[in-house]
Amino acid sequence: MSEPDRSGGLVLPADDEGIARAIEALRAGLPVAFPTETVYGLGADAANAAAVAAIYRIKRRPRDHPLIVHVADADALGFWAEAGRRARSLVEAFWPGPLTLILSRRAQAPAHACAGQPTIGLRCPSHPVAKSLLSGFAAGGGQGVAAPSANRFGKVSPTRAEHVLADLDGDVSLILDGGDAEIGLESTIVDLSAGRPRLLRPGAITGSALAEALGEPIGGAEPAAPRVPGSLAAHYAPGTPVELVDASQLADRIADLRRLGRRLAVWSREPQLAGGVEWLAAPADPRDYGRMLYDGLRRLDRLGVDRLLIETVPAGEAWDAIRDRLGRAATGSGGRGD
Ligand code: TXA
Ligand code: MG
């Protein structure tokens, strides 16, 4: 027996019929939420000013933060952007997949998603549902789907249809349910629009994988980089204050906070079984951790404790994206405050 639908028909299985309805909605200028391999996106026709404006409204996102345009295949690149040798190498190596390219926008391409930037973010997702949606939309003449993560601005990204429903209920007319996002972390963003390639947001595709495909070193984000909300310190934040603690300090920190009467949830590799402490097991493999990161933060947030203590993750590039998101969750959640 299937689960009862508590969404009032808002959440549709991502089968042929659901995808066809989502394509119709996109053509009619309505935003729809859909799964990708990274996180769920809230998509709208990137060439329709009103549809793109609706995304900003629903997300409560400042208008000066640009959106990524999602395309069905690399052929769509030339419509939107000037793609040089570097872009072609990265597309060849990583598309479809969790990589967003920031490129110089072509003068005639619609600029609704670009928030006044002369550049555009482009991504071709590999998730089969996203691919069918984008190619069906393209078959009717659509050029691309502008899609930020389907959560309110600054909050934790959604990796399941139920997360989208919990965040955007009432504000979105259709959510395609494609199950759990396989990667669970937003795409790697690389800026190719000026001089040396720069990594603006770490993701599943690492800096060294990019450097190898490019055949040249890759720089980090600079403070003067174009706006990347994911790079604001206070992003990806749950409501409960988050504190990152090294494994070696965890037991002492738990004891200190319990003495102060704090109710705690701990996310660590070793079990922390003190009374008054909720514990969630942290995966030892970065891919497993990435897949459960946002669902884990949401679950811990719902416990209603005073503080989330999260064990810092290991050194090494494979953990870069997770370390980045956890750092922002800790900064954005209001700090320690005792
Ligand atoms: O994995 C992902 O990238 C997901 C899925 C839905 O594709 N999307 C996503 O979108 O994470 P969003 O809006 O939550 O994050 C997109 C980031 C933002 O930080 C935005 O500022 C940056 O991409 N971005 C988009 N266009 C840009 C541009 N022209 N220049 C610099 N940054 C840009
Ligand atoms: Mg986002």
Side-chain angles (χ1 to χ4, degrees):
M1 215 173 76
S2 63
E3 290 271 301
D5 179 5
R6 278 182 270 272
S7 72
L10 210 69
V11 180
L12 296 183
D15 53 15
D16 289 351
E17 194 193 321
I19 292 169
R21 278 188 47 193
I23 293 169
E24 264 170 49
L26 288 174
R27 287 192 188 130
L30 297 171
V32 300
F34 64 98
T36 84
E37 70 278 21
T38 59
V39 299
Y40 275 67
L42 178 64
D45 180 353
N48 178 333
V52 173
I55 289 186
Y56 280 91
R57 236 182 3 256
I58 293 171
K59 263 196 81 97
R60 300 180 192 148
R61 179 173 178 133
R63 282 300 313 223
D64 61 352
H65 292 290
L67 307 177
I68 296 171
V69 174
H70 295 64
V71 294
D73 52 46
D75 295 344
L77 205 63
F79 172 83
W80 293 100
E82 312 288 347
R85 177 186 56 78
R86 286 166 167 151
R88 287 195 301 273
S89 309
L90 293 185
V91 161
E92 171 76 19
F94 300 113
W95 275 16
L99 177 68
T100 296
L101 301 177
I102 307 296
L103 301 171
S104 296
R105 180 167 39 84
R106 292 187 71 148
Q108 71 272 31
H112 315 305
C114 300
Q117 304 280 347
T119 54
I120 184 164
L122 291 164
R123 170 159 125 77
C124 176
S126 62
H127 192 293
V129 172
K131 282 174 82 163
S132 304
L133 181 73
L134 292 166
S135 53
F137 184 63
Q143 292 292 353
V145 171
S149 51
N151 54 289
R152 305 271 187 215
F153 183 69
K155 299 298 179 197
V156 176
S157 291
T159 55
R160 293 183 178 168
E162 71 188 56
H163 297 162
V164 181
L165 187 65
D167 287 0
L168 303 182
D169 189 15
D171 286 339
V172 63
S173 51
L174 197 161
I175 301 169
L176 280 180
D177 186 351
D180 283 18
E182 199 186 316
I183 294 173
L185 300 166
E186 303 81 351
S187 60
T188 302
I189 302 183
V190 59
D191 185 359
L192 297 178
S193 69
R196 186 150 94 98
R198 284 183 305 121
L199 182 65
L200 298 188
R201 180 172 72 183
I205 295 171
T206 60
S208 47
L210 293 170
E212 194 185 325
L214 285 165
E216 64 185 315
I218 178 159
E222 287 160 22
R227 285 182 171 277
V228 184
S231 70
L232 291 178
H235 220 72
Y236 311 112
T240 316
V242 173
E243 186 179 324
L244 302 179
V245 187
D246 282 340
S248 61
Q249 325 253 295
L250 202 49
D252 286 350
R253 190 66 187 141
I254 291 170
D256 286 350
L257 287 166
R258 285 185 64 225
R259 266 194 296 277
L260 294 171
R262 302 284 189 275
R263 286 166 305 138
L264 305 176
V266 180
W267 197 358
S268 64
R269 271 170 296 172
E270 292 299 320
Q272 304 291 329
L273 301 173
V277 174
E278 305 269 359
W279 176 70
L280 182 64
D285 178 276
R287 274 164 308 209
D288 295 338
Y289 201 121
R291 205 174 294 131
M292 79 172 289
L293 174 64
Y294 291 133
D295 186 59
L297 286 175
R298 285 165 182 269
R299 275 158 59 191
L300 294 172
D301 206 15
R302 282 198 302 269
L303 293 172
V305 297
D306 303 313
R307 182 80 50 97
L308 310 182
L309 297 188
I310 302 181
E311 182 184 329
T312 49
V313 296
E317 202 182 26
W319 291 91
D320 277 358
I322 294 164
R323 197 176 312 103
D324 171 74
R325 304 310 191 274
L326 285 176
R328 294 176 205 290
T331 313
S333 66
R336 301 166 50 144
D338 54 50

